[in-house]
Amino acid sequence: MNLTQAFKMAFKSILSKKMRSLLTMLGIIIGIAAVMIIVSVINGANKKQMEYFESMGTNKITVYASLYNGQDAFNEVYTYCKGLDAVLGVTPNSYVDAVVKYDAKNSQHMEYSPQIYLGNDQYAMCNNFQIQKGRDISYLDIQNYNPVCVLGARAAKEFFDSANPIGKEMTFSGNTFTVIGVYREKDPTPQWSMDNIIVIPYTASRYLPSQGSMSEFTVKAKDSASIKPVISLLKGQFSGWDETGKGSFDCYSDQQWQDSSNQMALMMSLVLGAIAGISLLVGGIGIMNIMLVTVTERTREIGIRRAIGAERKSIVVQFLIEAAMICGMGGIIGIAIGFLGTAVTSKLIVQQVMLPSPIITISAFLFSVVLGILFGMFPAIKASKLQPVVALRAE
């Protein structure tokens, strides 16, 4: 028997018992669809989170430092980091509280009021912002205590809509600041967007109500390989503050959160994938069961084929092809449901339509076929071992 004939016979056998074949495929369909949806959505959500981390700025080290005498620790941190070849820049990144007004618009009456940060001329570089309009904070702005500000794209839209804000004056708790620039949008999320910020020179904080000393800073390493050495150097230089009673110091990298996020996503994929895999196991057992029933039903046919000279391997191949076709057809239906389920689930969870990757799709189909072969092996071998005389006696 050639393979073409074997496939035709298998297809004819499946179609002759449509309902039984569909019910047999059900476990494979559910399992394949569940695995595709789980893996695709988790991978997609993790990828989106990684993109968010990258938009915040790569190779960043967040530093918390404060002196117990009430003075700012920034000068000490900045001076030390300037001497490190592995550091590209250092900026304050402390949040300050102020009521911002422009014409009739008031930050107190906004659903999401902008975050006001103290920064320097290296703030944009350290936090991965780019100027879209106007200019950035300069070294002279820092030295001259200039009351100027740069708006994030979201903050500019909230206060000025489509108008050009450059040169306009805003008040911060009653003090006038001039808008000198607008950062390019990098976070389209309307809620708690990282573009909903206003950056002012850290020396201009003197124009605002008393805020206390700055305690949070951002250090930009030149590459990912430099992050751990820079953290070690910073801790070696400043961790003694706690012991001497001079102040407090701590630092960490955003890369730690990324690594933790990757590990968590991997664990979730493994756990949920294993649960979905149980459905595939149940489906495989169903394939084995129905193929054993098929062998029983076709015992006389097998006896006739063996009596006229059919080899055992041709019997094995025939039943394996039938089992593989049942699982393959179930896999195709499961893949179609997986695509639809992934699109719907991803839209609900991460507010973005995602689809399974080609690798996941091809792997799912191949796995379903292999599953059919594995679980069809025992019934196929059993069928091939039937003695012709015994088989021909079967009713």
Side-chain angles (χ1 to χ4, degrees), residues 106-125:
N106 187 321
S107 62
Q108 286 185 317
H109 301 149
M110 294 179 177
E111 183 178 4
Y112 300 102
S113 59
Q115 303 287 306
I116 306 169
Y117 287 97
L118 302 178
N120 63 3
D121 54 316
Q122 298 172 17
Y123 183 90
M125 183 263 291

Side-chain angles (χ1 to χ4, degrees), residues 174-373:
N175 296 280
T176 302
F177 279 68
T178 303
V179 180
I180 59 171
V182 177
Y183 290 128
R184 190 181 305 277
E185 182 184 59
K186 64 174 184 174
D187 180 16
T189 307
Q191 301 176 350
W192 310 111
S193 170
M194 68 177 71
D195 290 322
N196 196 18
I197 64 168
I198 301 176
V199 184
I200 65 174
Y202 72 92
T203 53
S205 62
R206 59 167 54 190
Y207 303 114
L208 303 179
S210 178
Q211 302 287 336
S213 60
M214 295 182 297
S215 60
E216 183 175 347
F217 315 104
T218 297
V219 177
K220 177 85 167 183
K222 68 178 182 180
D223 51 42
S224 58
S226 302
I227 291 175
K228 288 185 177 179
V230 171
I231 288 178
S232 297
L233 289 170
L234 287 170
K235 288 184 175 179
Q237 177 71 16
F238 298 108
S239 291
W241 285 5
D242 294 303
E243 298 174 3
T244 60
K246 180 179 180 180
S248 62
F249 181 88
D250 191 19
C251 63
Y252 65 87
S253 168
D254 290 343
Q255 197 171 40
Q256 295 172 255
W257 300 111
Q258 295 180 39
D259 293 341
S260 297
S261 178
N262 285 330
Q263 291 177 1
M264 187 175 296
L266 178 61
M267 288 181 62
M268 288 180 64
S269 296
L270 292 175
V271 172
L272 296 176
I275 295 172
I278 295 174
S279 177
L280 287 173
L281 179 62
V282 172
I285 294 172
I287 292 291
M288 182 184 292
N289 180 58
I290 206 65
M291 291 308 296
L292 287 171
V293 172
T294 301
V295 169
T296 303
E297 291 176 343
R298 296 166 62 182
T299 301
R300 187 171 180 81
E301 175 195 328
I302 295 168
I304 294 173
R305 292 180 60 187
R306 292 282 284 136
I308 61 176
E311 298 180 357
R312 283 186 57 190
K313 65 178 182 180
S314 66
I315 304 295
V316 171
V317 169
Q318 176 62 47
F319 281 90
L320 286 182
I321 287 175
E322 189 169 328
M325 282 188 68
I326 292 175
C327 282
M329 292 168 69
I332 292 173
I333 298 172
I335 288 170
I337 296 174
F339 265 83
L340 179 62
T342 300
V344 173
T345 306
S346 61
K347 182 65 176 178
L348 293 174
I349 295 177
V350 297
Q351 286 77 51
Q352 180 179 340
V353 175
M354 298 176 178
L355 295 176
S357 68
I359 294 176
I360 294 176
T361 304
I362 295 171
S363 299
F365 176 73
L366 293 177
F367 184 79
S368 65
V369 174
V370 171
L371 195 69
I373 294 173

